[in-house]
Amino acid sequence: MTILCEPAAGAGQLSPAAGSAVVTAADLAEAGRLLAADPAELLVVVGPSIGLDDALAFAEALRVDRPAAGVVLVREALDVVVLTQALRAGVREVVARDDRTSLADACARSRALSAQVTGVVPRPRAEERRHGQVITVFAAKGGCGKTTLAVNLASVLAAGGARSVCLVDLDLAFGDVGICLRAEPVRTIVHGLGMLGHVDVTGASSLLTACRPGLSALLAPVEPGDAERIPASLVGELLAVLPTMFDFVVVDTPSAFSEHVLAAMDASHHHVVLTTPDVPSLKNLRVTLDMLDLLSYSHDIRSVVLNRSDSKVGLTMDDIDRVVRSDIRAHVPSSRDVPISVNKGNPIVLDQPRHPVSEAIARFAREHVLAEPVAAAKSSKRWFR
């Protein structure tokens, strides 16, 4: 059963999308009484007529009192500020009032997460420890679509639960993985500070958030100032433990060579370097490749991906090849459907698996990640840093 908190005038429109067994509540006080009367209830849909501040306070209290229960918030329209506030308060997903399909999908995902107990990732037994691959996605210029590629690549590799994947948001100050997946940031990497020096499987598991079947995430901090508290050594410890728990660990990075990024590069079996067909991005790509060479990272573990490859911006492929001087292993086309999927919080490879963007990312994963052997560990160049 689902509790739909919305006055009767609007409840009738939302009720069909909320599920087959729905009980309505005119306000949050009544929703609270219904929750108290049914300890097994795990989903509350808060309609657009309920004030935002009241809805966020309700979600924040519910996260503490009943952590397995989820809140799906319905608003008249999606707004980035509202999305951020909702995630901080513990709301599972935010959907637009007129998008009944997204509401039904959000309710289904929330019930699935509740069934797993929110944010709890099963710990592998010693005999089940994996030797997973670490894949770091990097672009030296912001706006290239790096986070979108990382999220979709991780979703492709998870294959609906066929493989286990952890997506690490290493953009500690401005990470967007949580928003892209509508993941509730109850625990983030900042909660690992107390484990520094002795991170193990149990500790790493406690930091993860379950997002989709087979896909978990280690989210970036949400509070201002927390990013500066996280040392690169913690990143190194986590990236040593996570591959023993997952088949693949995909790391989304900020657009700068920091100590944290270099720690991820050191731990990686595959570097995915992203660019777009414009002069500033290509210039930064050339600097990035030269830096990776200077740090003696192997060419064999490197893949250059050209995003928005079909953009008509006055550059030919010959122009791009002259700058890159390296094989481009994937051409991902541009599409307005990509930002739409981001706003919906559902990766395009899951939302539209036959879309040209989805097929390009899936082909890259199939030919250059799944098909290639795991590379040997790299030597660290900390003397240079």
Side-chain angles (χ1 to χ4, degrees), residues 334-351:
S334 58
S335 173
R336 63 186 296 272
D337 294 324
V338 174
I340 290 174
S341 73
V342 171
N343 290 338
K344 291 168 63 178
N346 200 29
I348 192 169
V349 296
L350 302 180
D351 200 31

Side-chain angles (χ1 to χ4, degrees), residues 204-267:
S205 296
S206 71
L207 304 177
L208 303 179
T209 301
C211 300
R212 302 286 190 281
L215 178 60
S216 299
L218 177 57
L219 300 176
V222 294
E223 297 298 330
D226 279 350
E228 287 73 22
R229 300 171 55 198
I230 299 169
S233 56
L234 177 60
V235 175
E237 288 186 60
L238 287 166
L239 292 181
V241 172
L242 290 173
T244 70
M245 303 164 56
F246 295 91
D247 297 319
F248 293 95
V249 178
V250 179
V251 184
D252 181 34
T253 59
S255 300
F257 274 114
S258 65
E259 280 288 320
H260 303 80
V261 171
L262 291 173
M265 293 285 191
D266 282 346

